[in-house]
């Protein structure tokens, strides 16, 4: 049986990396997936549709909500995955670089959930999965902005796990905290540091995007119907 048959799924940052791997997995399980990104992309899979979205732009977020409501009248799953890095040692980090990471990674999720969360509550069901990071849990040299955004996601999602279910709606809100994953994002990291990070895991390697997508798919699905307000570490044992 298909896990997401006829379910409407939105994935931000859906055109590459973890987001794209998740889009493919959910589409294979029968979902109608809207893979959202700033730049247009065509997908091979019939069930994956591109939708333009800039999570920092409130109008763009509202437009996505309106389009989905017009087409489907419901939302089953929101995977809030879009994220950026602007790494620098704190003494060199500009206020602009701090703000832009917070605006994308943290406020960008709020900009969507302020529409989709209450809609899920009204429907009586729904699942939100936000992608944080091991960096949000333990910090990382050169990532004060990113660590703050990813730690913020955890508090924000726990709040929503409480808010949207308080009248009995089966709305679940969970966080996935990956370690280092082999995507374009980590390509900016010096190779010696990547080796060091791999060495800090119990498995002595970085993750493939599909290994994260698998967990997001499970947590988003009805198979995880009793999991909410959780932070799921998927980091190869980097942080025990
Ligand atoms: N651990 C230990 N030491 C570190 C370090 C680390 N993670 N990062 C930097 N340092 C040390 C450097 O070795 C250097 O030491 P010395 O002063 O003794 O020479 C010092 O800190 C300054 O570092 P740089 O010389 O590299 O300084 P820079 O200004 O040229 O660059 C930087 C700073 C941009 C932060 C660069 O160090 C860097 O790219 N670091 C990697 C940051 C990182 O891990 N980003 C993760 C991106 S992927 C992601 O974010 C996904 C996710 O969720 C995990």
């Amino acid at each position: 049986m298909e896990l997401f048959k006829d379910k409407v799924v939105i994935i931000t940052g859906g055109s590459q990396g973890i987001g794209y791997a998740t889009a493919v997995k959910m589409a294979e399980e029968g979902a109608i997936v809207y893979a959202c990104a700033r730049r247009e992309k065509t997908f091979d899979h019939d069930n994956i549709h591109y939708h333009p979205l800039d999570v920092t732009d409130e109008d763009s977020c509202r437009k996505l909500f309106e389009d989905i409501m017009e087409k489907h009248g419901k939302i089953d799953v929101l995977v809030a995955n879009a994220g950026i890095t602007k790494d620098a040692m704190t003494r060199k980090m500009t206020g602009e670089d701090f703000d832009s990471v917070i605006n994308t990674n943290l406020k960008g999720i709020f900009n969507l959930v302020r529409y989709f969360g209450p809609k899920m509550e009204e429907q009586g069901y729904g699942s939100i999965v936000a992608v944080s990071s091991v960096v949000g849990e333990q910090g990382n040299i050169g990532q004060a902005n990113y660590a703050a955004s990813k730690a913020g996601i955890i508090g924000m999602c726990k709040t929503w796990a409480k808010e949207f279910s308080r009248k009995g709606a089966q709305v679940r809100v969970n966080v996935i905290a990956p370690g280092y994953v082999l995507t374009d994002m980590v390509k900016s990291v010096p190779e010696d540091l990547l080796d060091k990070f791999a060495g800090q895991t119990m498995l002595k390697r970085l993750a493939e995007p599909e290994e994260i997508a698998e967990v997001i798919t499970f947590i988003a699905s009805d198979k995880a119907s009793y999991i909410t307000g959780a932070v799921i570490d998927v980091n190869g044992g980097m942080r025990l």
Side-chain angles (χ1 to χ4, degrees):
M1 203 193 73
E2 290 176 322
L3 210 49
F4 289 93
K5 189 165 167 32
D6 299 330
K7 300 222 169 179
V8 178
V9 173
I10 290 171
I11 303 178
T12 70
S15 64
Q16 57 184 353
I18 295 172
Y20 177 66
T22 306
V24 170
K25 217 160 266 299
M26 290 192 177
E28 282 169 354
E29 289 287 347
I32 305 158
V33 177
Y34 289 89
C36 303
R38 278 174 299 186
R39 258 173 295 137
E40 184 160 8
K41 176 159 174 176
T42 47
F43 299 99
D44 288 342
H45 205 293
D46 285 349
N47 279 3
I48 307 180
H49 312 280
Y50 170 77
H51 196 291
L53 177 68
D54 176 351
V55 295
T56 65
D57 178 350
E58 293 182 20
D59 290 341
S60 172
C61 293
R62 197 186 54 245
K63 175 89 171 59
L64 172 68
F65 177 72
E66 287 168 357
D67 286 353
I68 297 297
M69 287 309 117
E70 197 184 310
K71 281 200 190 86
H72 302 283
K74 67 157 187 170
I75 176 70
D76 293 284
V77 173
L78 170 65
V79 179
N81 162 73
I84 59 167
T85 55
K86 292 209 170 161
D87 298 351
M89 304 303 270
T90 298
R91 69 185 136 77
K92 290 191 200 162
M93 189 176 283
T94 64
E96 209 175 297
D97 284 350
F98 190 88
D99 289 348
S100 78
V101 169
I102 297 289
N103 277 335
T104 302
N105 299 7
L106 184 64
K107 189 162 181 231
I109 302 181
F110 168 77
N111 286 341
L112 288 169
V113 172
R114 62 193 297 216
Y115 296 110
F116 288 103
K119 176 64 193 174
M120 287 178 176
E121 186 178 5
E122 182 196 309
Q123 293 171 170
Y125 61 86
S127 176
I128 298 171
V129 183
V131 179
S132 174
S133 166
V134 66
V135 169
E137 299 172 300
Q138 64 177 21
N140 188 28
I141 291 170
Q143 290 201 294
N145 48 3
Y146 185 83
S149 72
K150 294 296 187 179
I153 287 174
I154 294 173
M156 195 165 68
C157 285
K158 288 189 177 189
T159 298
W160 290 331
K162 292 179 179 182
E163 265 191 34
F164 298 132
S165 62
R166 82 197 158 92
K167 293 190 176 157
Q170 297 297 296
V171 176
R172 299 182 300 106
V173 186
N174 291 291
V175 174
I176 305 292
Y180 282 72
V181 185
L182 292 162
T183 64
D184 284 350
M185 188 180 263
V186 307
K187 282 186 186 152
S188 63
V189 179
E191 201 143 323
D192 56 327
L193 275 182
L194 283 185
D195 290 345
K196 183 177 142 169
F197 294 138
Q200 285 169 354
T201 70
M202 295 303 111
L203 303 177
K204 304 296 176 223
R205 64 179 178 86
L206 306 184
E208 295 295 337
E210 290 73 20
E211 294 179 284
I212 312 299
E214 196 71 60
V215 182
I216 295 174
T217 302
F218 168 71
I219 291 295
S221 79
D222 291 343
K223 283 195 173 177
S225 54
Y226 205 56
I227 301 179
T228 192
V231 181
I232 317 286
D233 287 336
V234 193
N235 61 29
M238 187 180 210
R239 175 177 170 269
L240 298 183

